[in-house]
Amino acid sequence: LEDLDLIPPIVTIQDLHRKLTPLEEIWSWQHYLRSKSFTTPPFPEGSSKAASRLGTTTKRTKSIPPKVAFSMMSESAKWVLNYGDEIVDLYSSEADCTTVVKRLADIGLNLSVRDGQQSNQGAVTLEGVIRYLASACFTVIASLTARRKEEIFDLGYKCIETDRGDGAYWLTIYIEKTSQRYDLCPVPSLVNKSISVLEKLSEKARKQSQSDSLWQYVYRGEVVNLSSEKVRGSLQDFYTSFVDVDSSHEWQFSFHQFRRMFALLYYYRFEGAYIGALSYHLRHYNIEMTKRYITDEKFMKEMKAIGE
């Protein structure tokens, strides 16, 4: 019960079809099986029609406007590269607010930080700074790997491999929806840095909780789990506080938007982009799903204008 979301996830037609298909396949393979299979077809109408009848229609994820995406990614990278190690050090040494404010100001991050549980009149708590950093790490990982929300929140200690002899960074990831097994995903050095920051941030909590999850920290002696709801809230607050403070355009972030952004940027900006490679990287069942990800005329026009 502790692991359940406050709002249960909606079962979509695609997700339901994915779960019903193996039962239908067992029926079609029954003459290969020694044991008895079902006595009648599990879905006389077909698993696709059954899923359409029982599931809900998926809504298309909105594409993040390029300028919003680039500014969010840029500020997140800045937090990871320029401020990450300093914030982790301040957190590990349990520095007081005066020290936190001074040391962060010395490296270019001006914050009004105070003790306490809640923000007040623009001031953020020490715990708030930690959550902002975790949100920046999430943005970097999500936008530069295109992994699903469940796959990112499943990341544990030492999930990066660097000893394969090719000088690259490989992220060990559990492919949630399709292959449902652990696989390797090539990632840039900035993602490796984000993972390193999360490992340092979660070190105390991992010892205390006996869990290898990177999404936790200790505050006031208690282990705090960075659930998806907490990170989603921090993402939105991070954007309005540090990325586009005076913007009249309010953009509501969702986790899946970063995955789609990766696909769009690769396809419309990478010279020699190949949809087959993108489909494999996203671990899609079929290329038609990948085509849906990159079908966005408005985004294409915006990227063309930005390119020019």
Side-chain angles (χ1 to χ4, degrees):
L1 287 175
E2 290 176 355
D3 293 335
L4 288 176
D5 290 333
L6 293 176
I7 302 174
I10 297 171
V11 181
T12 64
I13 292 173
Q14 290 174 325
D15 189 39
L16 195 57
H17 184 221
R18 192 180 300 115
K19 292 172 180 175
L20 298 183
T21 298
L23 298 176
E24 192 172 52
E25 288 176 341
I26 289 174
W27 170 258
S28 64
W29 298 337
Q30 61 180 305
H31 54 283
Y32 290 108
L33 306 175
R34 292 182 180 178
S35 57
K36 290 183 179 180
S37 184
F38 308 114
T39 55
T40 57
F43 313 111
E45 59 190 322
S47 60
S48 180
K49 287 186 178 179
S52 297
R53 178 170 52 82
L54 299 169
T56 58
T57 305
T58 54
K59 293 182 179 180
R60 187 179 179 87
T61 301
K62 291 183 179 180
S63 301
I64 307 177
K67 291 181 180 178
V68 173
F70 293 151
S71 57
M72 182 68 167
M73 291 161 66
S74 176
E75 185 65 23
S76 297
K78 188 189 297 182
W79 271 66
V80 171
L81 291 172
N82 298 357
Y83 314 141
D85 289 336
E86 190 72 15
I87 293 173
V88 169
D89 188 57
L90 289 165
Y91 159 71
S92 299
S93 61
E94 299 181 356
D96 57 57
C97 286
T98 304
T99 304
V100 172
V101 170
K102 183 181 184 306
R103 283 174 55 177
L104 290 180
D106 288 343
I107 59 173
L109 180 59
N110 294 308
L111 289 175
S112 177
V113 182
R114 68 182 189 85
D115 285 312
Q117 298 287 347
Q118 297 178 340
S119 62
N120 183 33
Q121 297 179 348
V124 297
T125 63
L126 292 172
E127 187 178 20
V129 175
I130 296 168
R131 290 193 184 184
Y132 284 147
L133 179 58
S135 298
C137 289
F138 179 91
T139 299
V140 168
I141 296 169
S143 59
L144 296 182
T145 67
R147 300 333 311 166
R148 298 178 179 89
K149 173 193 74 172
E150 298 84 358
E151 297 166 357
I152 295 175
F153 282 106
D154 183 61
L155 292 175
Y157 181 58
K158 289 190 175 180
C159 58
I160 290 275
E161 288 188 27
T162 58
D163 56 355
R164 296 176 63 85
D166 53 8
Y169 299 105
W170 294 88
L171 183 65
T172 301
I173 201 89
Y174 183 78
I175 307 303
E176 180 73 22
K177 283 191 174 181
T178 50
S179 62
Q180 296 188 345
R181 63 181 176 85
Y182 282 97
D183 207 342
L184 291 174
C185 170
V187 296
S189 58
L190 185 55
V191 170
N192 179 59
K193 177 64 178 177
S194 299
I195 297 294
S196 175
V197 167
L198 289 173
E199 286 182 338
K200 294 173 184 175
L201 198 61
S202 64
E203 185 176 1
K204 292 180 184 177
R206 283 186 280 108
K207 291 179 181 178
Q208 199 165 318
S209 67
Q210 297 297 301
S211 165
D212 75 339
S213 173
L214 300 182
W215 302 99
Q216 56 182 327
Y217 60 91
V218 173
Y219 191 71
R220 298 183 184 275
E222 298 292 329
V223 174
V224 179
N225 290 311
L226 279 163
S227 66
S228 59
E229 291 300 320
K230 288 177 181 176
V231 173
R232 182 184 284 110
S234 295
L235 272 177
Q236 199 66 41
D237 197 19
F238 180 87
Y239 177 73
T240 56
S241 299
F242 303 104
V243 180
D244 207 347
V245 181
D246 301 321
S247 175
S248 59
H249 175 75
E250 294 184 4
W251 179 259
Q252 296 296 317
F253 286 96
S254 72
F255 296 127
H256 199 70
Q257 290 167 356
F258 293 104
R259 179 171 166 85
R260 189 146 184 256
M261 175 55 58
F262 178 100
L264 288 165
L265 287 177
Y266 168 79
Y267 192 73
Y268 289 111
R269 292 302 300 155
F270 184 73
E271 188 176 347
Y274 173 51
I275 192 172
L278 177 62
S279 187
Y280 174 76
H281 183 77
L282 296 173
R283 299 300 195 273
H284 280 157
Y285 266 136
N286 58 64
I287 209 162
E288 293 303 316
M289 175 60 72
T290 311
K291 288 179 181 178
R292 287 184 60 193
Y293 270 55
I294 60 176
T295 304
D296 193 317
E297 188 175 347
K298 182 181 177 182
F299 183 89
M300 181 178 64
K301 289 179 179 178
E302 285 190 60
M303 288 305 296
K304 186 178 179 181
I306 291 172
E308 290 172 354

